[in-house]
Amino acid sequence: MDDGYIEGSTGIGQKDPSKPSKPNPPVEHHPPADSNPEDSLEGLDPALRAQIQQCLRDNPSDLCYEGLVSSVDVSAVAREVVARLHLPDPTPRFGPDPDANEWHMLAVGYPLWLWTSGPTRLTTTATRYGLSFTLTATWQDTRFEFGDGHSLTCRSTSPYPAATKPGTPSPTCGYTYQKVSPAAGYTVRAHTNWRVDWAAAGQSGSLDTTYTGSRTVQVGELSALIVR
């Protein structure tokens, strides 16, 4: 999975647990894709749409959208912009990394550290229909589903340091498997939840969006062999 981020300046921050959750429905995430500007005019008044389409054909420019602020729902456009954001890679990561041992597996009864990569706060700008948006995305939490029927929501995570003493539990977000995986392994999913604050044309608001990544892992039992 691509691990690119939103283009723009970045900073790192943590969620304020005292701040209540926003009531807005979550934004359905769509990966960025090249599209025809005319495809985004659905829902506008037909006469206005025809005028903009003709302008785009004659001289493609954001100026074709000039004067649209009073004709479009800015908050609806904000949802469209947020749905196209590219936030950090949500693929779940484990410590110790199962790919680093000779069995390429996790062990039953062994504490795991869990996290996803990337910063937790990002700021960028975007233009849509001639409207200039300032957006700040703040990570809220990550819900891990372990494939064995259990899940865990973490509001803070810690990458696994190389010098960690074996068997040390994560101080923020950890899990321990209690049974061996089937032959196909367990599919672990991470749902990263973000709040995006936006501002444009004198209006502002917040929207929630979720990114999901997955990884399949084998979980087995380690047995001690006594040699005499």
Side-chain angles (χ1 to χ4, degrees), residues 110-114 146 148-152 170 173-178:
Y110 198 91
L112 298 175
W113 293 42
L114 305 162
F146 299 102
D148 61 353
H150 294 90
S151 63
L152 174 69
S170 169
C173 183
Y175 183 69
T176 302
Y177 278 102
Q178 299 300 325

Side-chain angles (χ1 to χ4, degrees), residues 38-61:
E38 295 187 23
D39 295 339
S40 63
L41 299 175
E42 294 299 325
L44 293 180
D45 176 79
L48 180 59
R49 183 169 66 245
Q51 179 181 344
I52 295 172
Q53 288 172 330
Q54 184 61 51
C55 177
L56 289 171
R57 286 191 289 269
D58 294 342
N59 184 25
S61 168

Side-chain angles (χ1 to χ4, degrees), residues 154-165:
C154 296
R155 292 176 174 81
S156 179
T157 63
S158 306
Y160 186 77
T164 302
K165 180 180 178 181

